[in-house]
Amino acid sequence: MIILAATPIGNLGDASARLVEVLSAAPIVAAEDTRVAQRLLAGLGVENRPRLIALHDHNERDRAGELVELAREQDVVVLSDAGMPTVSDPGFHLVEAAAAAGVGVTALPGPSAVLTALAVSGLPTDRFTFEGFLPRKPGERSSALRALAAEPRTMVFFESPNRIAASLTAMAEELGADRRVVVCRELTKLFEEVRRGTAAELAAWAAEGVRGEIAVVVAGAPARSVDPDSALEQVLALVAAGTRLKDAAAEVSEATGLGRRDLYQAALERKGR
C-alpha cells in the first residue's frame, strides 16, 4: 500500500495522532528530503527507524517503479517536507504508477497550506482553484496570469520569497492594480503574517523584501455585466456568417456566461418573427 501522509506545514503540534501511529510502524518511508524526515520522526518522538528512500522531483520517475513493487508487499509511507505529497510536491508520478499497476493508494489527511491560506484570506471560499507556483521566467509568468485574468474563482498560488515581489507586480499588471490579494506568510509558525490589500499595494510592500514560506490568495475576476440583447445579436451574427445555431449559442454562452439554451431559444424566436 502507498500511504500519502500529510505533515505539519510549520507547527509540529499539528501532526495527527494517526500520522504518529503510522510512522511508528512504517517499514519504508519515501521522503522528499530524508534529513527533514529524520527530524520529523525525532520531533514526534517516533522511535521506529524505517528504511528511508529519497523521493524528489529529480528522481521520482525513476524511483516510482521500485516503490510500487515494494508497496505490493509492505506499506510505503510518502512524505513531502510539509503538507500533502503530490500537491506541488513529489508523489504524483508515484501515485500514477501505483494506479496503473493496481497497487492501493490511501492518504492520511492533515495540514494543507492551500486550505489554510484560503480559510484565513477573507476571500470567497465556495469556489476556488489552486495554481501552484507561477513560472520563473517573467514572460511566461505574465502569460500565465493573463490566461487567468477572467477566472471567476478565488485563486491560490505558492511563491518563493525571492520571486514574490515580481509575481505581485505581474499580478497588478495582468489582473489589475485593484485586484484584491492576500499574502499569507509563515502559516502556523511563530511569525505568521496575513497581509491584505490590492495587487499594487502588496507589490509595493513586497519590494522591500519578504521572507518565509508564502501562499498568495487572489480574488476572482468580478462578474461581467452582459447585455442579453447584445449577446443575442452576437449569436445571430455568427449564424449569418455560416455557424450552426447550436454552435453559435454555445460559443457566445461560453464567452458571456449566459445560458446556452436561453440564447438558442431566443435566436429561434427572433428568426421566426
Side-chain angles (χ1 to χ4, degrees), residues 12 18 30 42-43 48 50-51 55 58 66 68 76 86 119 126 158 160 162-163 174 183 199 205 210-211 262:
L12 200 61
R18 190 176 173 206
N48 178 38
R51 175 186 173 189
L55 182 74
H58 302 295
E66 172 193 353
V68 167
V76 175
T86 77
D126 53 339
F158 287 160
S160 78
N162 296 329
R163 296 194 300 274
E174 302 297 341
V183 174
W205 162 75
V210 180
R211 295 182 179 181
D262 293 338

Side-chain angles (χ1 to χ4, degrees), residues 183-270:
V183 174
C184 303
R185 189 181 69 84
E186 295 290 86
L187 287 170
T188 77
K189 299 179 184 179
L190 180 62
F191 297 106
E192 174 177 305
E193 180 180 19
V194 178
R195 186 170 287 265
R196 302 175 177 86
T198 66
E201 290 169 344
L202 292 181
W205 162 75
E208 300 179 5
V210 180
R211 295 182 179 181
E213 299 290 330
I214 298 168
V216 182
V217 189
V218 180
R224 290 172 292 182
S225 178
V226 179
D227 177 7
D229 291 335
S230 175
L232 176 57
E233 293 301 327
Q234 293 178 46
V235 173
L236 295 173
L238 287 171
V239 171
T243 304
R244 290 193 312 164
L245 175 55
K246 179 179 179 181
D247 295 335
E251 181 177 335
V252 175
S253 172
E254 183 175 355
T256 63
L258 296 176
R260 175 180 56 81
R261 291 183 179 178
D262 293 338
L263 288 168
Y264 181 86
Q265 188 61 38
L268 282 179
E269 292 175 1
R270 175 72 70 86

